[in-house]
Amino acid sequence: MPATDFRIEEALAQWQPRHLVGGELLAQGAPFGVVDPSSGEVFAECPEAGVEELDCAVSSARVAWHGWKAQPLEKRRAVLHTFAAALEEAAPLIAPLLSREQGKPLSQAEMELKVSGTHIRHLSSLPLEDELLRKDDRGAVVLNWRPLGVVGGISPWNFPVALAMHKVAQALYTGNTLVLKPSPYTPLATLAVAEVAKDIFPAGVLNVLAGGNAFGAGMTAHAGIDKISFTGSVATGKRVMESASATLKRITLELGGNDAAIVLENADLDVTAAALARSAFYNCGQICMAVKRIYAHEAVHDELAVRIAEKARALKVGSAFEEGVEMGPVQNRMQYEKVLSLLDDSKSREGATVLAGGGALDRPGYFIAPTVITGLDDTAPLVAEEQFGPVIPIVRVRNAEEAVERANAGNLGLGGSIWGRDGARCAELARQLDCGTAWINRHGVNDSDVPFGGMKESGYGREHGVMGLHSYMELQAINAIPPGN
Ligand code: NAD
């Protein structure tokens, strides 16, 4: 066993995962098993919080809110920057845990933790000021942005820490307090981060509890929570919206995507193939805004497919702690079976050709070979639905117009991209894509100052940027009579 793997066993033997509630670390709740996707075996136990712990966390967050929202913005920013630095410092300690529960290579887990620190710093540096709407003989109107109160954050298992930290930064910077629930598949690294946060934030400002799906449903129905910031699947997002309606909670939903990349006849194939392969296979294809289908002009389709297949074959697949590994397993059995079933269906279709990969690896755990498949049309579920795994279909199209029409079909609209040498043409096509972010000659770039979210069933509202911060706030218009009246 490699040295890093050994150290994590030792560390786990000494470390007890605990919830952070009201500034205290608690191990309440029956333990549930956390599975290592590289082996398919339970490697750690985590306490599962229930209704009582949720009530306690919400009450603590409510009490803490009054003090936290009264802090000047600069003070909240400074505390978040201190937290970002502490998180970056703790990255080497927490990364093995993140790798172990999520499956991603150790270097990528370290990167996720470091990038989380950067995002916290950037999000909590955005300008956040009242706006003077107008001042004239009708009076002065100021738009006053106020925190909502207690936010409930619910996160998924693909980037457990990064996606949770986006919520921490946005909710706390805007003067709210937070009750955060990581995915039950990957609760441990987020609980470890909560320990780092414990003495940095005043008690109750940040609460982190490991809980299952029922716990999440409890949050969405809880009368003491004012907003839900949810990242996860479309199906669960719809449940969140329905449940939140009983108390008219504010909601932001960051949901699934089936991003299309459209490759034009004049695209730079070297650059395009490398970038598309990176997007399709990074994090084992488990990224909401990964390229999930490629529509390639018939003039470049074959060459592009060959080049992407070469990249796929060259990827070193293995467990997080193996030397030089670039792609790990699918994170959980359910997702692994879903991706394999999409692949089996695709392979059975007339005209389908597997250019790289094509199935599960013959080893324990949830490993699937990076797979490139051509010859499918949009009736194949692998093209029409979100696969969320390391299998990319490349589809031949006659022209860009056809590609845009096919990219826009379907219920999802998170992201999309256009690849070509003519900037004006690319920009014109990008505007025609029905998605929250349209990239040109890049895909999946996600900056803290740029509002991010989905059209159609890919989401509701936006996170990031000042617009995203405002979604954690309530707008009050202050309307004063003109002076002298
Ligand atoms: P999921 O919907 O199964 O679970 C997400 C979270 O919701 C988990 O913490 C889960 O415990 C909780 N949950 C489950 N049922 C609930 C309920 N009834 N009420 C409240 N919470 C509940 O999603 P997942 O499988 O963990 O994540 C994968 C999905 O997330 C993919 O579709 C992916 O595209 C999407 N995703 C979207 C973004 C984005 O920013 N748009 C980012 C990452 C992942």
Side-chain angles (χ1 to χ4, degrees), residues 153-159 163 166-167 181-186 211-220 228 230-237 239-240 243 253-258 286-289 292 331-332 334-335 338 386 388 414 446 452-454 458-459 463:
I154 302 176
S155 48
W157 44 257
N158 57 337
F159 287 94
L163 294 170
H166 292 167
K167 300 184 192 310
K181 185 197 92 65
S183 166
Y185 288 114
T186 53
N213 299 349
F215 187 91
M219 290 170 71
T220 64
I228 293 286
F230 173 82
T231 305
S233 64
V234 174
T236 310
R239 280 185 215 116
V240 170
S243 172
L253 305 176
E254 294 284 357
L255 308 178
N258 190 20
Q286 303 165 126
I287 307 183
C288 56
M289 55 179 165
K292 303 215 171 90
Q331 200 280 325
N332 59 70
M334 193 182 65
Q335 189 63 30
K338 180 184 161 183
E386 179 184 47
F388 220 59
L414 191 60
N446 180 215
F452 178 79
S458 280
E463 296 224 311

